[in-house]
């Protein structure tokens, strides 16, 4: 009995002692780091889950029954990054917890799972996430973007794909690669973006010039490529993608690896290689259409709540052969090739990359620092450097075949700074400044008259953007931007060309050296452009079923060096191009509407728009010239007033848990208002449909059948007449006549297999042009000489680890 009483007393007193040590209280509040407003329904819990509370409407919480000890608490809140905090508890302890409620860490990530982060509130936008981009691992950025309604491409064969938005391309479409505006001689129709699509985690297209923070000259739109966000955790992960490509008898491989740490440090490495031989039309080989491409990038830095930095280096190297039949020996061969539609050169398959071809190397380096100020906002400072080297090789005789006909080196330095004030829930302000210096060197050792001269280019810009929330349903946004551009060039003109274009009357003061002994003049044009851009828009959302957006954008674009100074044979384009020193800045006024509705099993988006452009710069065929290298069409730049009207429509239907369909339609009409004729190179109307079946229980089996019908472009400018030496008469050259309509079918399927642990294998099969249809795309410049690609089968293996 005494023993029993002793044990009971010991347990009781021990319990009392324990209770006395564990009567501490933790009092706290959870607030927004930016504006210090309370965050309700935040979850505060110990790691073992023994203590768990939820903050009230004032963001406050209390946790009773704690011991005097150090606890690790997990704090989470909807739309916030979960954080872990070590808190020393002693008696009555008070603490203030700050969370990143606005998710500024994810500001440049367009897709996280299926969550979209808009670049603007009122503009028309669309996004491709990582899974969609991986399907195009063996293709180009332009190929991937064509999946978005309203986005087309201007092609030079199958390997040079230049994105176009609402009928506009080139310098009118701004491409942002990990926060860096690409500077890669985008003025050329056959100058594809120097970007490896495998290096991007997501791609967002802003249709129009509303994203003023990126530039005011994006009359067509903005393409934003972003890296995948790396969360703060101690982990190592990566993936490898291997593609086998039937048409071209080659393939590609891409691999990337990421190491991250809980304190925010991270490093990512990525590399890819693509190799194809001659590709094939349904009835013949497209001789000299191979490609060799290498891309690599290294990204490292530190992500923290209050400050951080990151550095990025990207290298891109591509050698691209251009259809041999596109370079013609004389005027009559050119006439026969364009008017008959048969390629004049058809050879056996080879992996050789012969002339004509182009070789491009692009280096991009970026260093960025950010600092967040509590209750105020976020400041960014960025420096980036780019070096773009372009060689274009013509069909030349003897030892000259290995000497480039065009050798350009473009070097760009940019520094930018911006501040985003978001301390007020209703009003956000974003301001920024930019300075850029660019130098272009045209190597004179090519032995060919330089198409683009040496020049220096200076850019200064600043913007202000505001976003205001009006009640629960309305968001208003607006902004203003000013850009100053100066181009300082030195160029030799043939005296005959100088006088032919009337420059001897308008620009005689630009002559700095008269070389009449060799028939040339050295001139020094220095042009200044002051451009203003603005945007105003609104978004209305009454419930979760849809939204309505309105946006007006004013934008101005200075003419690029090619539009001003081109004077000679552009070898990769297989044409003679003539610029015009008289060109002024384009001015665009665009109005766009977007209606989006999402119901339980179906939804749709309708996006009509109208774009009125004053001083629109057109490049169009005006004749034919015979040179020592062959006969080439002459394309000249001029300005006019233009109007583009269009609509993008997309919809989806989930018929049941397994079957769904998607539908897209895009139409744009362009008109030269001064001459009352259609604009050249406006995309044809197209109608795309797909039906998908998925069965998750069958190793996530998915199959998708695609149908794409492209209408004939019935609105095009008149053809031109040229002189035929054989016929000794003028003949009509059907250089503007579009090809017939066409219909293509495609198939996609995939299966996933677990390889143990976190490693899994995804196999996919893609078949393009299943029926091996003969067709020619209006916006493919090689349509003059050959059919487009026949059937192409792509087998992809992807390993995530």
């Amino acid at each position: 009995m005494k023993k029993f009483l002793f044990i009971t007393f010991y347990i009781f007193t021990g319990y009392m002692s324990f209770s006395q040590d564990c009567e501490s209280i933790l009092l706290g509040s959870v607030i927004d780091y930016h504006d210090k407003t309370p965050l309700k329904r935040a979850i505060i819990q110990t790691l073992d889950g023994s203590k768990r509370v939820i903050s009230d409407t004032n963001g406050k919480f209390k946790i009773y029954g704690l011991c005097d000890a150090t606890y690790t608490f997990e704090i989470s809140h909807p739309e916030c990054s979960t954080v872990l905090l070590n808190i020393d508890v002693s008696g009555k302890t008070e603490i203030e917890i700050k969370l990143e409620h606005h998710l500024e860490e994810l500001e440049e990530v367009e897709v996280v799972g299926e969550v979209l982060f808009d670049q603007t509130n009122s503009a028309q936008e669309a996004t491709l996430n990582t899974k969609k981009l991986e399907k195009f691992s063996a293709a180009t950025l332009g190929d991937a973007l064509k999946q978005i309604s309203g986005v087309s491409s201007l092609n030079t064969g199958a390997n040079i794909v230049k994105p176009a938005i609402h009928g506009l391309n080139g310098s009118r479409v701004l491409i942002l690669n990990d926060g860096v505006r690409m500077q890669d001689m985008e003025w050329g129709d056959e100058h594809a973006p120097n970007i490896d699509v495998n290096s991007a985690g997501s791609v967002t297209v802003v249709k129009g010039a509303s994203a003023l923070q990126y530039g005011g000259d994006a009359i067509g739109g903005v393409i934003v490529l972003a890296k995948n966000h790396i969360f703060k955790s101690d982990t190592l992960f990566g993936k490898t993608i291997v593609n086998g490509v039937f048409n071209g008898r080659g393939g590609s491989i891409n691999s990337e690896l990421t190491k991250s740490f809980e304190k925010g440090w991270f490093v990512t490495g990525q590399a890819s290689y693509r190799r194809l031989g001659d590709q094939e039309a349904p009835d013949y080989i497209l001789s000299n259409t191979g490609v060799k491409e290498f891309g690599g990038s290294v990204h490292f830095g530190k992500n923290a709540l209050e400050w951080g930095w990151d550095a990025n280096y990207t290298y891109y190297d591509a050698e691209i052969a251009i259809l041999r039949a596109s370079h013609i020996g004389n005027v009559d061969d050119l006439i026969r090739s364009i008017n008959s539609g048969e390629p004049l050169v058809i050879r056996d398959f080879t992996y050789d990359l012969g002339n004509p071809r182009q070789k491009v190397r692009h280096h991009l380096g970026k260093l960025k620092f950010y600092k967040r100020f509590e209750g105020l906002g976020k400041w960014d400072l960025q420096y980036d450097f780019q070096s773009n080297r372009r060689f274009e090789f013509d069909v030349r005789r003897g030892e000259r075949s290995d000497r480039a006909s065009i050798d350009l080196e473009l070097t760009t330095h940019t520094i930018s700074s911006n501040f985003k004030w978001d301390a007020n829930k209703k009003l956000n302000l974003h301001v920024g400044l930019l300075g850029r210096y660019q130098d272009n060197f045209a190597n004179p050792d090519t032995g060919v008259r330089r198409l683009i001269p040496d020049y220096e280019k200076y850019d200064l810009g600043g913007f202000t953007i505001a976003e205001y929330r009006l009640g629960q349903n309305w968001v208003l946004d607006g902004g203003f931007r000013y850009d100053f551009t100066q181009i300082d060039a030195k160029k030799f003109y043939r005296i005959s060309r100088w006088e032919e274009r009337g420059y001897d009357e308008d620009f005689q003061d630009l002559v700095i050296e008269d070389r009449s002994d060799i028939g040339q003049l050295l001139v020094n044009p220095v042009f200044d452009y002051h451009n203003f851009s603005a945007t105003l828009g609104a978004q209305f959302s009454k419930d979760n079923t849809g939204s309505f957006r309105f946006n007006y954008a004013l934008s101005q674009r200075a003419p690029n060096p090619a539009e001003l100074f081109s004077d000679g044979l552009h070898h990769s384009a297989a044409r003679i191009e003539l610029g015009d020193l008289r060109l002024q800045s384009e001015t665009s006024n665009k109005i766009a509407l977007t209606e989006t509705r999402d119901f339980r099993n179906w939804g749709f988006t309708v996006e009509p728009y109208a774009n009125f452009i004053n001083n629109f710069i057109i490049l169009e065929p005006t004749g034919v010239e015979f040179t020592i290298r062959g006969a080439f069409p002459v394309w000249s730049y001029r300005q006019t007033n233009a109007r583009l009207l269009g609509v993008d429509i997309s919809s989806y239907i989930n018929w049941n848990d397994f079957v769904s369909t998607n539908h897209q339609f895009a139409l744009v009409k362009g008109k030269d208002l001064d001459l009352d004729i259609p604009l050249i190179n406006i995309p044809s109307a197209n109608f795309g449909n797909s039906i998908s079946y998925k069965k998750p229980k069958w190793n996530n089996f998915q199959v998708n059948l695609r149908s794409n019908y492209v209408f004939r472009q019935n609105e095009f400018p008149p053809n031109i007449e040229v002189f035929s030496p054989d016929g000794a008469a003028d003949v009509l050259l059907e250089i503007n006549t579009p090809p017939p309509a066409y219909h293509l079918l495609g198939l996609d399927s995939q299966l996933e297999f677990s390889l143990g642990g976190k490693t899994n294998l995804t196999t996919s099969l893609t078949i393009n042009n299943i029926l091996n249809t003969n067709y020619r795309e209006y916006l493919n410049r090689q349509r003059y000489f050959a059919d487009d690609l026949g059937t192409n089968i792509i087998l992809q293996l992807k390993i995530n680890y």
Side-chain angles (χ1 to χ4, degrees), residues 639-700:
Q639 286 191 297
T640 186
N641 293 320
R643 181 190 67 206
L644 291 97
L645 304 175
V647 63
D648 302 334
I649 302 174
S650 59
S651 65
Y652 68 90
I653 303 174
N654 296 323
W655 297 96
N656 53 45
D657 292 339
F658 309 105
V659 180
S660 63
T661 57
N662 282 274
H663 316 274
Q664 290 184 340
F665 176 76
L667 171 68
V668 56
K669 291 181 174 290
K671 190 168 187 179
D672 181 334
L673 298 177
D674 289 355
L675 299 182
D676 194 28
I677 60 174
L679 290 176
I680 192 172
N681 287 337
I682 296 299
S684 306
N686 62 86
F687 186 33
N689 298 277
S690 67
I691 180 169
S692 302
Y693 176 82
K694 61 181 180 180
K695 190 73 171 179
K697 293 182 179 180
W698 297 351
N699 292 98
N700 200 22

Side-chain angles (χ1 to χ4, degrees), residues 312-332:
N312 180 39
Y313 169 74
T314 300
Y315 175 75
Y316 177 84
D317 188 307
E319 188 171 0
I320 304 173
I322 296 174
L323 183 71
R324 178 62 182 86
S326 66
H327 282 231
I328 308 300
N330 57 63
V331 174
D332 283 296

Side-chain angles (χ1 to χ4, degrees), residues 325-329 332-334 336-337 340 342-346 785:
S326 66
H327 282 231
I328 308 300
D332 283 296
D333 283 347
L334 176 63
R336 281 191 292 270
S337 180
S340 71
E342 290 291 332
L344 300 182
V345 178
I346 301 176
F785 313 107

Side-chain angles (χ1 to χ4, degrees), residues 12-26 51 63-71 88-93:
F12 179 76
T13 55
Y15 173 79
M16 290 294 294
S17 175
F18 179 81
S19 298
Q20 289 172 356
D21 291 339
C22 296
E23 292 183 348
S24 297
I25 303 173
L26 178 64
K51 299 290 184 180
I63 301 179
Y64 297 95
L66 297 174
C67 300
D68 290 344
T70 299
Y71 289 85
D88 294 325
V89 176
S90 177
K92 184 178 180 182
T93 304

Side-chain angles (χ1 to χ4, degrees), residues 75-329:
I75 301 95
S76 59
H77 184 272
E79 300 180 4
C80 292
S81 296
T82 298
V83 299
L84 298 177
L85 291 179
N86 292 323
I87 302 175
D88 294 325
V89 176
S90 177
K92 184 178 180 182
T93 304
E94 296 185 11
I95 188 172
E96 185 178 69
I97 300 172
K98 303 166 186 175
L99 292 184
E100 184 69 9
H101 183 239
H102 296 296
L103 277 183
E104 287 297 308
E105 292 183 47
L106 307 180
E107 185 181 25
E108 297 302 329
V109 182
E110 285 70 37
V111 176
V112 181
E114 294 299 325
V115 181
L116 301 184
F117 291 84
D118 295 338
Q119 302 296 319
T120 69
N121 284 301
S122 59
Q124 300 173 348
E125 297 185 25
T127 300
L128 298 177
N129 60 19
T130 301
K131 289 185 178 180
K132 293 178 181 178
L133 290 177
E134 287 174 346
K135 293 175 57 179
F136 296 90
S137 176
T140 68
L141 174 65
D143 291 321
L145 290 173
K146 285 191 292 185
Q147 309 308 302
I148 297 175
S149 180
V151 180
S152 53
S153 66
L154 188 65
N155 288 33
T156 300
N159 297 315
I160 303 176
V161 185
K162 195 175 186 70
I165 303 174
H166 287 170
L168 302 174
N169 60 73
S171 297
R172 302 182 184 97
V173 174
L174 186 160
I175 299 179
L176 209 76
N177 185 8
D178 189 32
V180 178
R181 176 171 178 164
M182 294 296 294
Q183 304 288 337
D184 51 2
M185 307 179 196
E186 72 283 351
W187 39 262
D189 284 352
E190 81 303 342
H191 295 182
N194 297 157
I195 294 175
D196 174 16
V197 69
N198 295 286
S199 66
S202 63
V203 180
T204 292
V205 174
V206 182
K207 303 173 184 178
S210 300
L212 291 183
Q213 65 268 37
Y214 302 132
D217 55 347
I219 292 177
V222 180
I223 298 171
V224 182
L225 293 89
K227 302 286 187 183
N228 278 326
H229 182 73
I230 301 173
F231 293 95
K232 292 182 287 186
S233 60
D234 192 2
T235 185
L236 177 69
F237 61 92
K239 67 180 177 182
T240 297
I241 300 176
V242 179
N243 294 281
V245 181
F246 170 78
N247 198 328
R249 309 181 195 181
S252 70
I253 182 171
N254 172 68
S255 189
E256 65 179 66
L257 189 65
T258 298
K259 173 60 179 175
S260 62
F261 302 88
E262 289 184 2
K263 293 186 177 181
W265 294 96
F266 68 90
V267 59
T268 296
Q270 175 266 333
S272 67
Y273 179 77
R274 181 166 71 111
R275 185 72 167 96
L276 297 174
D278 289 339
Q279 296 171 292
E280 299 179 36
D283 299 326
Y284 45 78
I285 291 175
L286 299 169
S287 297
N288 200 50
T289 54
V291 61
K292 181 167 61 177
E293 179 183 277
F294 172 77
S297 64
V298 177
H299 185 209
F300 57 94
K302 182 176 182 179
N303 286 325
L305 178 62
E306 296 188 359
W307 67 275
W309 63 274
D310 71 275
N312 180 39
Y313 169 74
T314 300
Y315 175 75
Y316 177 84
D317 188 307
E319 188 171 0
I320 304 173
I322 296 174
L323 183 71
R324 178 62 182 86
S326 66
H327 282 231
I328 308 300

Side-chain angles (χ1 to χ4, degrees), residues 443-486:
N443 191 344
D445 295 334
T446 60
V448 177
R449 174 175 297 278
R450 291 181 286 180
L451 175 69
I452 303 295
D454 296 344
Y455 68 83
E456 293 182 322
K457 185 168 176 278
Y458 303 86
D459 294 295
L460 293 173
F463 69 87
T464 300
I465 301 172
E467 172 191 314
Y468 182 73
R469 294 189 174 274
L470 185 64
Q472 296 293 322
N473 302 326
W474 287 92
V475 178
L476 309 179
D477 62 14
F480 174 84
R481 184 181 179 103
Y482 166 75
D483 288 283
F484 168 76
T485 298
Q486 182 184 87

Side-chain angles (χ1 to χ4, degrees), residues 576-622:
I576 294 170
E577 295 180 6
L578 298 178
D580 193 336
L581 297 178
R582 303 177 181 88
L583 297 180
Q584 303 297 315
S585 292
E586 294 178 332
T587 301
S588 165
N589 290 273
K590 183 174 183 179
I591 298 174
L593 304 174
T594 305
E595 172 75 13
T596 300
R597 302 291 288 176
D598 289 292
F599 302 102
R600 183 175 180 181
N601 294 316
W602 67 283
F604 67 87
T605 299
V606 180
E607 301 175 326
Y609 58 90
N611 197 354
F612 300 87
I613 308 176
N614 296 327
N615 293 324
F616 183 67
I617 300 174
I618 295 177
L619 178 61
E620 60 186 1
T622 55

